[in-house]
């Protein structure tokens, strides 16, 4: 309406057709501008600005896409790829010459195993083929539950020592009446950075156990630790040479 009234005044005051023609040519642009400013609320103008800003952001999307595409030319190696698993077999044998195990009845119950009782221990360790003395185990078990007529459940924290090769640490549940698995929590020497788990097979409680390690994250293990294991049974024994720790029947500086 503002544009129409202005046009009328100009026609009245001037007889020049060119002036009228100029008004008609400029009026649509002026009308469009004035109608936008005065008719619509200010909030709509603000919204229009936001829409323009959003459009600007969208227009920059191809740049992001281009950046991602350029990165895909140099992919970062995945850290989720499964690593090689190595199996290691060892026997733990209590030969009754280390004063192990000790039973500390912190529960003060003399005739029954109870929550909180501690069992520190250390036994001899032999290679899976029973031809080499490799070291010892050393650790402690905390009694969690006693099951009458069945056995005990312990939380165990201990290490396997392999002389100059280093050691492996494990932790987890130890049941006296069936096979269990414990987590491999770390190691030293050639076992630095190791992870995985170990399966514990009870042969003669608490004197003879067989372990199968499933190890990841380390270099290939030395051949003298990787001999073919003797089939586990309650009747297995280390070779006389290994038991006597004769030269060639131990690992270097085996832990004793």
């Amino acid at each position: 309406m503002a544009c129409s009234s202005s046009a009328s005044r100009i026609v009245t005051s001037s007889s020049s057709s060119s002036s009228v023609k100029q008004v008609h040519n400029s009026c649509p642009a002026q009308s469009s501008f004035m109608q936008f400013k005065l008719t619509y609320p200010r909030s709509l103008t603000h919204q229009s600005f936001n829409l323009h800003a959003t459009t600007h952001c969208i227009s920059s999307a191809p740049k992001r896409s281009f950046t991602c595409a350029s990165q895909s030319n140099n992919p970062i190696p995945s850290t989720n790829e499964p690593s090689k698993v190595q199996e290691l077999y060892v026997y733990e044998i209590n030969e009754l010459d280390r004063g192990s195990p000790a039973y500390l009845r912190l529960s003060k119950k003399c005739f029954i195993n109870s929550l909180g009782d501690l069992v520190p221990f250390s036994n001899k360790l032999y290679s899976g083929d029973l031809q080499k003395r490799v070291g010892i185990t050393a650790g402690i078990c905390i009694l969690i539950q006693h099951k009458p007529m069945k056995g005990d459940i312990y939380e165990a924290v201990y290490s396997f020592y392999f002389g100059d090769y280093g050691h492996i640490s494990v932790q987890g549940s130890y049941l006296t009446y069936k096979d269990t698995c414990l987590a491999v929590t770390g190691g030293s020497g050639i076992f630095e950075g190791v992870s995985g788990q170990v399966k514990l097979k009870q042969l003669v409680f608490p004197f003879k156990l067989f372990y199968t390690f499933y190890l990841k994250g380390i270099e290939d293990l030395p051949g003298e630790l990787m001999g073919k294991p003797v089939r586990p049974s309650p009747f297995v024994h280390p070779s006389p040479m290994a038991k006597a720790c004769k030269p060639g029947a131990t690992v270097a500086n085996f832990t004793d």
Side-chain angles (χ1 to χ4, degrees), residues 53-96:
T54 303
T55 305
H56 175 73
C57 294
I58 294 173
S59 67
S60 65
K63 293 183 179 179
R64 296 191 186 96
S65 177
F66 175 79
T67 302
C68 293
S70 64
Q71 289 177 348
S72 66
N73 294 330
N74 299 292
I76 299 174
S78 174
T79 57
N80 295 324
E81 294 180 0
S83 59
K84 178 181 178 180
V85 177
Q86 300 183 72
E87 294 185 13
L88 173 65
Y89 308 95
V90 293
Y91 278 94
E92 180 186 12
I93 299 178
N94 185 340
E95 297 178 349
L96 301 177

Coordinates of all heavy atoms in Angstrom, one line a residue, residues 53-96:
A53 N 22.3 -18.4 7.9 CA 23.5 -18.9 8.6 C 23.6 -20.4 8.5 O 24.6 -21.0 8.2 CB 23.5 -18.5 10.0
T54 N 22.4 -21.1 8.6 CA 22.4 -22.5 8.5 C 22.8 -23.0 7.1 O 23.5 -23.9 6.9 CB 21.0 -23.1 8.9 OG1 20.6 -22.6 10.2 CG2 21.0 -24.6 8.8
T55 N 22.2 -22.2 6.1 CA 22.6 -22.6 4.8 C 24.0 -22.4 4.5 O 24.7 -23.2 3.8 CB 21.8 -21.6 3.8 OG1 20.4 -21.8 4.1 CG2 22.1 -22.0 2.3
H56 N 24.6 -21.4 5.2 CA 26.1 -21.2 5.0 C 26.8 -22.4 5.6 O 27.8 -22.8 5.0 CB 26.5 -19.9 5.7 CG 27.9 -19.7 5.7 ND1 28.6 -19.3 4.6 CD2 28.8 -19.8 6.7 CE1 29.9 -19.2 4.9 NE2 30.1 -19.5 6.2
C57 N 26.4 -22.9 6.8 CA 27.0 -24.0 7.4 C 26.9 -25.3 6.5 O 27.9 -26.0 6.4 CB 26.5 -24.3 8.8 SG 26.8 -23.0 10.0
I58 N 25.8 -25.4 5.9 CA 25.6 -26.6 5.1 C 26.5 -26.5 3.8 O 27.0 -27.5 3.4 CB 24.1 -26.7 4.7 CG1 23.2 -27.0 5.9 CG2 23.9 -27.8 3.6 CD1 21.8 -27.0 5.6
S59 N 26.6 -25.3 3.4 CA 27.5 -25.1 2.2 C 28.9 -25.5 2.4 O 29.6 -25.8 1.5 CB 27.4 -23.7 1.7 OG 28.0 -22.8 2.6
S60 N 29.3 -25.5 3.7 CA 30.7 -25.9 4.0 C 30.9 -27.3 4.2 O 32.0 -27.8 4.4 CB 31.2 -25.2 5.3 OG 30.4 -25.6 6.4
A61 N 29.8 -28.1 4.2 CA 29.9 -29.6 4.3 C 30.8 -30.2 3.3 O 31.5 -31.1 3.7 CB 28.5 -30.2 4.3
P62 N 30.8 -29.8 2.1 CA 31.7 -30.5 1.1 C 33.2 -30.4 1.6 O 34.0 -31.3 1.3 CB 31.5 -29.7 -0.2 CG 30.1 -29.2 -0.1 CD 29.9 -28.9 1.4
K63 N 33.5 -29.3 2.3 CA 34.9 -29.2 2.8 C 35.2 -30.3 3.8 O 36.3 -30.9 3.8 CB 35.1 -27.9 3.4 CG 35.1 -26.7 2.4 CD 35.4 -25.4 3.1 CE 35.4 -24.2 2.1 NZ 35.7 -22.9 2.7
R64 N 34.3 -30.6 4.7 CA 34.4 -31.6 5.7 C 34.5 -33.0 5.0 O 35.3 -33.8 5.3 CB 33.3 -31.7 6.7 CG 33.2 -30.4 7.5 CD 32.2 -30.6 8.7 NE 32.0 -29.4 9.4 CZ 31.0 -28.6 9.3 NH1 30.1 -28.9 8.3 NH2 30.9 -27.5 10.0
S65 N 33.7 -33.2 4.0 CA 33.7 -34.4 3.2 C 35.0 -34.6 2.6 O 35.5 -35.7 2.5 CB 32.5 -34.4 2.2 OG 32.6 -35.6 1.5
F66 N 35.5 -33.6 2.0 CA 36.8 -33.6 1.3 C 37.9 -34.0 2.3 O 38.8 -34.8 2.0 CB 37.1 -32.3 0.6 CG 38.5 -32.3 0.0 CD1 38.7 -32.9 -1.2 CD2 39.6 -31.7 0.6 CE1 39.9 -32.8 -1.8 CE2 40.8 -31.6 0.0 CZ 41.0 -32.2 -1.2
T67 N 37.9 -33.4 3.5 CA 38.9 -33.7 4.5 C 38.9 -35.2 4.9 O 39.9 -35.9 5.0 CB 38.7 -32.8 5.8 OG1 38.7 -31.5 5.4 CG2 39.8 -33.1 6.8
C68 N 37.7 -35.7 5.1 CA 37.5 -37.1 5.5 C 38.1 -38.0 4.4 O 38.7 -39.0 4.6 CB 36.1 -37.5 5.8 SG 35.5 -36.7 7.3
A69 N 37.8 -37.7 3.2 CA 38.2 -38.5 2.0 C 39.7 -38.5 2.0 O 40.3 -39.5 1.7 CB 37.6 -37.9 0.7
S70 N 40.4 -37.4 2.3 CA 41.8 -37.3 2.2 C 42.4 -38.2 3.3 O 43.5 -38.8 3.1 CB 42.3 -35.9 2.3 OG 42.0 -35.3 3.5
Q71 N 41.8 -38.2 4.5 CA 42.3 -39.0 5.5 C 42.2 -40.5 5.2 O 43.0 -41.3 5.7 CB 41.5 -38.7 6.8 CG 41.9 -37.3 7.4 CD 41.1 -37.0 8.6 OE1 40.1 -37.7 8.9 NE2 41.4 -36.0 9.4
S72 N 41.2 -40.9 4.5 CA 40.9 -42.3 4.2 C 42.1 -42.8 3.3 O 42.2 -44.1 3.2 CB 39.6 -42.5 3.5 OG 39.6 -41.8 2.2
N73 N 42.8 -42.0 2.7 CA 44.0 -42.4 1.9 C 45.1 -43.0 2.7 O 46.0 -43.7 2.2 CB 44.5 -41.3 1.0 CG 43.4 -40.9 0.0 OD1 42.6 -41.7 -0.5 ND2 43.4 -39.6 -0.4
N74 N 45.1 -42.5 4.0 CA 46.1 -43.0 4.9 C 45.5 -43.6 6.2 O 45.5 -43.0 7.2 CB 47.1 -41.8 5.3 CG 47.8 -41.3 4.2 OD1 48.6 -41.9 3.6 ND2 47.4 -40.0 3.8
P75 N 44.8 -44.8 6.1 CA 44.1 -45.3 7.2 C 45.0 -45.6 8.4 O 46.1 -46.1 8.2 CB 43.4 -46.6 6.6 CG 44.3 -47.0 5.5 CD 44.8 -45.6 4.9
I76 N 44.4 -45.4 9.6 CA 45.2 -45.8 10.8 C 45.0 -47.2 11.1 O 43.8 -47.7 11.1 CB 44.7 -44.9 12.0 CG1 44.9 -43.4 11.7 CG2 45.4 -45.3 13.3 CD1 44.3 -42.5 12.7
P77 N 46.0 -48.0 11.4 CA 45.9 -49.4 11.6 C 45.0 -49.7 12.8 O 45.0 -49.0 13.8 CB 47.3 -49.9 12.0 CG 48.2 -48.8 11.3 CD 47.4 -47.5 11.4
S78 N 44.1 -50.6 12.7 CA 43.1 -51.0 13.7 C 43.9 -51.6 14.9 O 44.7 -52.4 14.7 CB 42.1 -51.9 13.2 OG 41.2 -52.4 14.2
T79 N 43.4 -51.2 16.1 CA 44.0 -51.8 17.3 C 43.2 -53.0 17.8 O 43.5 -53.5 18.8 CB 44.1 -50.7 18.4 OG1 42.8 -50.2 18.7 CG2 45.1 -49.6 18.0
N80 N 42.1 -53.2 17.1 CA 41.2 -54.3 17.5 C 41.5 -55.6 16.8 O 40.7 -56.6 17.0 CB 39.7 -53.9 17.3 CG 39.3 -52.7 18.1 OD1 39.8 -52.6 19.2 ND2 38.5 -51.8 17.5
E81 N 42.5 -55.7 16.0 CA 42.8 -56.9 15.3 C 43.3 -57.9 16.3 O 44.1 -57.6 17.2 CB 43.9 -56.6 14.3 CG 43.4 -55.7 13.1 CD 44.5 -55.5 12.1 OE1 45.6 -56.1 12.3 OE2 44.3 -54.8 11.1
P82 N 42.8 -59.2 16.2 CA 43.2 -60.2 17.2 C 44.7 -60.5 17.0 O 45.3 -60.6 15.9 CB 42.4 -61.4 16.8 CG 42.0 -61.2 15.4 CD 41.9 -59.7 15.3
S83 N 45.4 -60.6 18.2 CA 46.8 -60.9 18.1 C 47.0 -62.4 18.2 O 46.1 -63.2 18.6 CB 47.6 -60.2 19.3 OG 47.0 -60.6 20.5
K84 N 48.3 -62.9 17.9 CA 48.6 -64.3 18.0 C 48.5 -64.8 19.4 O 48.9 -64.2 20.3 CB 50.0 -64.5 17.4 CG 50.5 -65.9 17.5 CD 51.9 -66.0 17.0 CE 52.5 -67.4 17.0 NZ 53.9 -67.5 16.5
V85 N 47.9 -66.0 19.5 CA 47.8 -66.6 20.8 C 48.7 -67.8 20.9 O 48.7 -68.7 20.0 CB 46.3 -67.1 21.1 CG1 46.2 -67.9 22.4 CG2 45.3 -66.0 21.0
Q86 N 49.6 -67.8 21.9 CA 50.5 -68.9 22.1 C 50.1 -69.7 23.4 O 49.8 -69.1 24.4 CB 51.9 -68.3 22.3 CG 52.4 -67.5 21.2 CD 53.9 -67.0 21.4 OE1 54.8 -67.8 21.3 NE2 54.0 -65.7 21.6
E87 N 50.2 -71.0 23.2 CA 49.9 -71.9 24.4 C 51.2 -72.3 25.1 O 52.1 -72.7 24.4 CB 49.1 -73.1 23.9 CG 47.7 -72.7 23.3 CD 46.9 -74.0 23.0 OE1 47.3 -75.1 23.4 OE2 45.9 -73.8 22.3
L88 N 51.2 -72.2 26.4 CA 52.3 -72.5 27.2 C 51.8 -73.5 28.3 O 50.8 -73.2 29.0 CB 52.9 -71.3 27.8 CG 54.0 -71.5 28.8 CD1 55.3 -72.2 28.2 CD2 54.4 -70.2 29.5
Y89 N 52.5 -74.6 28.5 CA 52.1 -75.6 29.4 C 53.1 -75.8 30.5 O 54.3 -75.8 30.3 CB 51.9 -77.0 28.7 CG 51.0 -77.0 27.5 CD1 51.6 -76.8 26.2 CD2 49.6 -77.0 27.6 CE1 50.8 -76.8 25.1 CE2 48.8 -77.0 26.5 CZ 49.4 -76.9 25.2 OH 48.6 -76.8 24.1
V90 N 52.6 -75.8 31.8 CA 53.6 -76.0 32.9 C 52.9 -76.9 34.0 O 51.6 -76.9 34.1 CB 54.0 -74.7 33.5 CG1 54.9 -73.9 32.6 CG2 52.8 -73.8 34.0
Y91 N 53.7 -77.6 34.7 CA 53.2 -78.3 35.9 C 53.7 -77.6 37.2 O 54.8 -77.2 37.3 CB 53.8 -79.7 35.9 CG 53.0 -80.7 35.0 CD1 53.4 -80.9 33.7 CD2 51.9 -81.4 35.5 CE1 52.7 -81.8 32.9 CE2 51.2 -82.3 34.7 CZ 51.6 -82.5 33.4 OH 50.9 -83.4 32.6
E92 N 52.8 -77.5 38.1 CA 53.1 -77.0 39.5 C 53.1 -78.2 40.4 O 52.0 -78.9 40.5 CB 52.1 -75.9 39.9 CG 52.5 -75.4 41.3 CD 51.4 -74.4 41.8 OE1 50.3 -74.4 41.2 OE2 51.7 -73.8 42.9
I93 N 54.2 -78.5 41.1 CA 54.3 -79.7 41.9 C 54.8 -79.3 43.3 O 55.8 -78.7 43.4 CB 55.2 -80.8 41.3 CG1 54.6 -81.2 39.9 CG2 55.3 -82.0 42.2 CD1 55.4 -82.2 39.2
N94 N 54.0 -79.7 44.3 CA 54.4 -79.5 45.7 C 55.2 -80.8 46.1 O 54.6 -81.9 46.3 CB 53.2 -79.3 46.6 CG 53.6 -79.0 48.0 OD1 54.7 -79.3 48.5 ND2 52.6 -78.4 48.7
E95 N 56.5 -80.6 46.3 CA 57.4 -81.8 46.7 C 57.6 -81.8 48.2 O 58.5 -82.5 48.7 CB 58.7 -81.7 45.9 CG 58.4 -81.9 44.4 CD 59.7 -81.8 43.6 OE1 60.7 -81.4 44.1 OE2 59.6 -82.2 42.4
L96 N 56.9 -81.0 49.0 CA 56.9 -81.0 50.4 C 58.3 -80.6 51.0 O 58.6 -81.1 52.1 CB 56.5 -82.4 51.0 CG 55.1 -82.9 50.6 CD1 54.9 -84.3 51.1 CD2 54.0 -81.9 51.1

